[in-house]
Amino acid sequence: MQSPGFRDTGRFVQRPPQAGIQSPTNLSRLKRCFAPGRNVALPIRIRGAGSSCTDCNESPQGTVVRTTGLDKIVRIDTYNHTVTAEAGIRLGALVAALADKGLELIGSHDQMERTLGGALASPCMGPGIGDQAAYLSSQLLNIKVVTVDGKVIPVSAEQQHLLSAFRMSYGMLGVIYEATLRVRPISTFSASHRSLSVDTFSDVVDRLSEGNVGLKFYLLPHRDRVYVDLRRYEAAAGSTFDTPWKIKDWGESTVLPQVFRSLNRVMPIPSVRYKLIDSITAATQGLVNSKLVNNGNNVASAGRRRRHKPRNLLYSTWCFPAMDFSVVIKAYVKFCREKFHNTGYRCDMPAVGFRLCKDPSALLSPSFDESVFALQTTSTQRRGWDDFVIDLAQFAENWGGTPLFSQSRAFRAEHAQQAYSTRLAFFRKIRHQLDAEKRLLNPYLAQCFA
Ligand SMILES: Cc1cc2nc3c(=O)[nH]c(=O)nc-3n(C[C@H](O)[C@H](O)[C@H](O)COP(=O)(O)OP(=O)(O)OC[C@H]3O[C@@H](n4cnc5c(N)ncnc54)[C@H](O)[C@@H]3O)c2cc1C
């Protein structure tokens, strides 16, 4: 009888490839995941913190390589204002280490649980002040990459096209193992707040976004209310305190979702439930944002610590041309109200929007040609959400929306191909050269990138 040990040598009997998750903790283990001849189940997908809401970081039949074990800071250069770190480090840990040296990430980025690699390989974006770059990846100076055949290659600013393809490459060109990015001394901004009706917001949104300001807003479509947050760099913006920002973050991302989940469970009458939900949101916006948070910097507004539980919020984000946004916002409100009327479904969290300036630093940048507004629809209400995001995708397509491969639910592949047009074709060419056997493509990404 053949001993089980004999079979286990794998010398005569090839074992079927094992699907599963690999969590390398150093470079040689990471390289081994991709070594030629290694019997891993395909496709291979790379995952950072896994906070994307699409299948871009999934491979149920294949292999997922988790990067969170690669979390060292290699160097902080306080003279040249750069930081080099492994890709699995959480943004919160990076922000805290930089703050200890008086430095901060450039741009307004929250979600401190995400990883550096995930934030560079997908759109990590927030309201940039004035013409400030919108994405974290815009600050990328060079990277080290593990290719699909297990080789390490450096990519620097001299290889401009290749670096631009690696920014927002969704793990389709290889694993970003280490990255060096530009940072800067901590700078204080002032934050002012307005509460406007949707019509008034639509009238002033073009003017608001022209100035040297960072524009973010929270929209309550069923209450006809927009809470606007305007940020400016001031010569003397005053001191910044972390506590108000901590309260704001705690209120928006922990208290409100929990309260709304409970209300959805215990209050069966929708009209009463939603009246309560909208009143609580309005009160929170009025109290916390307008009264507490007046000055800030990117360290205080992002928070240094990452939450340990996932946010567990449903979301889908689309980008719309800024020049059309005064019309799109009204159409979006009408869409939400009609959906509620016809299907009974509505989101309980406010939609969040912010302006992103034109930024062609990444080949797949959603604001490659023009400024856009990102509009993020968020909810805790699972029942009805899947149908809602299909209709939302149709709405976005009708209004010239650009999908994000990591953050837009239910888009049509044909529409994505149209929206990214020749850039997508160029990206595909680079992809074919780096991954001819399509080992890194799962069915979700293959729709657009095969
Ligand atoms: C409630 C909520 C709100 C959010 N709001 C915002 C927001 O305001 N702005 C914003 O920009 N995002 C937002 N996000 C989205 C999310 O945080 C980003 O998409 C994030 O940048 C992804 O980082 P991650 O580490 O979770 O990456 P993952 O989701 O794990 O991966 C993202 C993509 O990057 C690839 N990837 C990951 N690591 C590497 C690597 N080392 N090398 C190569 N490829 C890699 C993956 O294959 C995948 O395609 C939000 C998410 C949630 C849950």
Side-chain angles (χ1 to χ4, degrees), residues 117-413:
L120 296 172
S122 66
C124 167
M125 55 202 193
I129 299 184
D131 284 341
Q132 188 180 71
Y135 310 99
L136 189 64
S137 63
S138 318
Q139 309 307 334
L140 197 55
L141 295 170
N142 55 65
I143 45 176
K144 283 186 191 150
V145 173
V146 175
T147 61
V148 75
D149 43 10
K151 293 198 188 103
V152 180
I153 55 163
V155 182
S156 69
E158 277 93 71
Q159 295 142 290
Q160 199 194 331
H161 291 307
L162 193 56
L163 190 62
S164 129
F166 265 100
R167 296 182 174 118
M168 301 186 203
S169 54
Y170 301 93
M172 287 185 282
L173 304 180
V175 191
I176 298 171
Y177 158 66
E178 190 184 287
T180 300
L181 50 154
R182 231 176 277 120
V183 292
R184 67 168 184 202
I186 294 175
S187 318
T188 308
F189 57 74
S190 69
S192 57
H193 306 272
R194 313 256 187 291
S195 161
L196 306 171
S197 69
V198 173
D199 279 349
T200 312
F201 179 71
S202 154
D203 289 344
V204 297
V205 66
D206 289 343
R207 241 176 310 138
L208 284 180
S209 39
E210 269 166 18
N212 203 17
V213 293
L215 169 58
K216 183 173 186 179
F217 64 85
Y218 300 81
L219 165 67
L220 295 182
H222 302 273
R223 252 215 176 188
D224 188 20
R225 239 348 65 186
V226 186
Y227 297 93
V228 183
D229 169 336
L230 295 170
R231 296 180 187 181
R232 289 185 184 81
Y233 288 119
E234 306 278 1
S239 352
T240 293
F241 300 101
D242 284 1
T243 311
W245 291 95
K246 279 186 194 153
I247 297 173
K248 172 178 154 66
D249 180 56
W250 179 61
E252 281 173 5
S253 57
T254 306
V255 179
L256 288 188
Q258 274 174 16
V259 170
F260 295 168
R261 270 189 212 107
S262 306
L263 275 174
N264 287 327
R265 267 200 309 271
V266 299
M267 173 52 69
I269 310 161
S271 56
V272 180
R273 181 168 74 225
Y274 289 126
K275 206 166 175 192
L276 261 171
I277 283 176
D278 284 345
S279 303
I280 294 170
T281 307
T284 311
Q285 288 294 336
L287 192 73
V288 178
N289 276 348
S290 315
K291 304 279 184 305
L292 266 182
V293 174
N294 296 316
N295 291 313
N297 55 51
N298 291 342
V299 180
S301 64
R304 299 176 194 212
R305 276 182 299 141
R306 73 174 175 94
R307 74 196 67 250
H308 290 279
K309 281 192 193 158
R311 278 175 196 254
N312 220 357
L313 277 178
L314 303 163
Y315 72 97
S316 184
T317 308
W318 285 80
C319 291
F320 297 93
M323 60 191 294
D324 303 338
F325 200 67
S326 55
V327 188
V328 171
I329 184 96
K330 285 190 191 174
Y332 176 77
V333 168
K334 189 161 172 255
F335 162 79
C336 291
R337 289 180 181 177
E338 278 175 10
K339 275 290 111 213
F340 185 42
H341 183 260
N342 297 339
T343 67
Y345 186 85
R346 56 157 279 188
C347 297
D348 47 8
M349 299 290 291
V352 182
F354 43 84
R355 182 178 168 275
L356 303 168
C357 66
K358 177 178 167 175
D359 185 343
S361 61
L363 188 55
L364 295 181
S365 161
S367 63
F368 191 92
D369 296 313
E370 58 184 335
S371 305
V372 298
F373 269 91
L375 185 62
Q376 184 181 72
T377 303
T378 313
S379 185
T380 72
Q381 296 248 50
R382 218 158 263 283
R383 191 193 252 174
W385 171 253
D386 288 338
D387 290 334
F388 179 81
V389 287
I390 292 172
D391 294 336
L392 177 66
Q394 186 59 59
F395 165 85
E397 188 173 328
N398 295 346
W399 286 95
T402 299
L404 309 170
F405 298 98
S406 54
Q407 295 188 43
S408 309
R409 294 285 312 275
F411 63 83
R412 290 187 317 115

